[in-house]
Amino acid sequence: MGTQQFDGKRVGRLEGKVALVTGGSRGIGRAIAERLAGDGALVALTYTSDRPAAQEAVARIEKDGGRAVALKATLGQHGDAANLWAAFDAAIAAYAPDVHAATGTGGGTATSTAHGVDIIVNNAGIGRSTDLAGLTEQDFDEVFAVNVRAPFFIVQHGLTRLRDGGRIINISSGAARLAMPEIIAYSATKGALDTFTLNLAKSLGPRGITVNSVAPGIIDTDVNASWLRDNPQAEAQAAALAALGRVGQPEDVADIVAFLASDDARWVTGRVVDATGGSGL
């Protein structure tokens, strides 16, 4: 998992860092949380309702020698970002009171109870498999509230916590660059997220903070299980879309995120990193 064992201690390139991973209880988010923890970061992963899955993710990380906490965060509602960071503070204070307080130099003033963060991964998202004709205003509002508004304000509220030299990584989608009318609203949210990435990279560059998007293609997660798993024909069709000839795994995306979170990617910012295996080439 990107770490080494030395004299009984874990040595990782993210040692001493604190990471927030939204939607980290399953799928791509869980793989990201596990990988960042494996590289030495203390990971706070959020979940919406499936507490057992979040606890299982934390248990797996701790079994492998990492550190993680789970916190409930319902996104898509006004005030969700403030509530998330309040839950983050409470969870970090209870788990690792030795973690340094917020020292970021972003706008605003961090409270005395605010804890610092080095890596923010905006992974949580929802999909709407509806074309324009079938799209309702409620569907549109919900998908934009979770996929766009929540990351905007999570970052806004996190700027005073995010340490200089930190990382913001937004999980986008290959759907942002491919014409897929059957998921038009979802695709639009990911295009908006990529624009957010571009502008954040420019505004936060003076602080040494890098901001990038990672755009997965079809990934074998439980979200896609109903049509992909145990369906050889569907799997073959999905694999054929990628130049590399297979369906992506959550770890394929997590490894890219880990690179962007590390010092190895210190000179990469404002980019959308394609993680589709070469779909649509």
Side-chain angles (χ1 to χ4, degrees), residues 99-273:
V99 170
H100 297 301
T103 57
T105 57
T109 302
T111 67
S112 59
T113 58
H115 287 273
V117 66
D118 301 281
I119 303 158
I120 298 174
V121 182
N122 286 307
N123 166 76
I126 60 173
R128 288 292 181 267
S129 300
T130 310
D131 62 12
L132 182 60
L135 187 67
T136 67
E137 291 184 356
Q138 181 177 350
D139 287 338
F140 182 93
D141 289 345
E142 287 178 351
V143 73
F144 268 85
V146 174
N147 295 4
V148 181
R149 190 177 71 205
F152 265 63
F153 288 97
I154 288 171
V155 172
Q156 183 196 66
H157 285 260
L159 284 179
T160 55
R161 305 160 176 278
L162 185 60
R163 297 187 180 97
D164 293 352
R167 302 284 187 264
I168 297 173
I169 303 163
N170 297 317
I171 304 304
S172 180
S173 170
R177 68 173 177 84
L178 299 172
M180 304 180 72
E182 66 276 13
I183 54 171
I184 189 170
Y186 174 81
S187 299
T189 66
K190 296 305 184 178
L193 198 61
D194 290 344
T195 300
F196 182 46
T197 291
L198 183 65
N199 285 276
L200 273 180
K202 179 69 172 180
S203 62
L204 298 181
R207 292 180 55 193
I209 295 169
T210 68
V211 188
N212 293 285
S213 287
V214 176
I218 298 174
I219 304 296
D220 184 10
T221 67
D222 55 350
V223 173
N224 293 324
S226 61
W227 67 272
L228 184 62
R229 294 177 185 172
D230 301 321
N231 187 335
Q233 182 178 2
E235 182 177 2
Q237 290 174 342
L241 295 175
L244 295 177
R246 66 172 174 84
V247 174
Q249 298 298 314
E251 292 75 16
D252 294 324
V253 182
D255 289 348
I256 296 171
V257 171
F259 163 70
L260 293 173
S262 75
D263 190 56
D264 292 344
R266 61 191 175 276
W267 204 236
V268 180
T269 195
R271 299 296 89 190
V272 178
V273 180

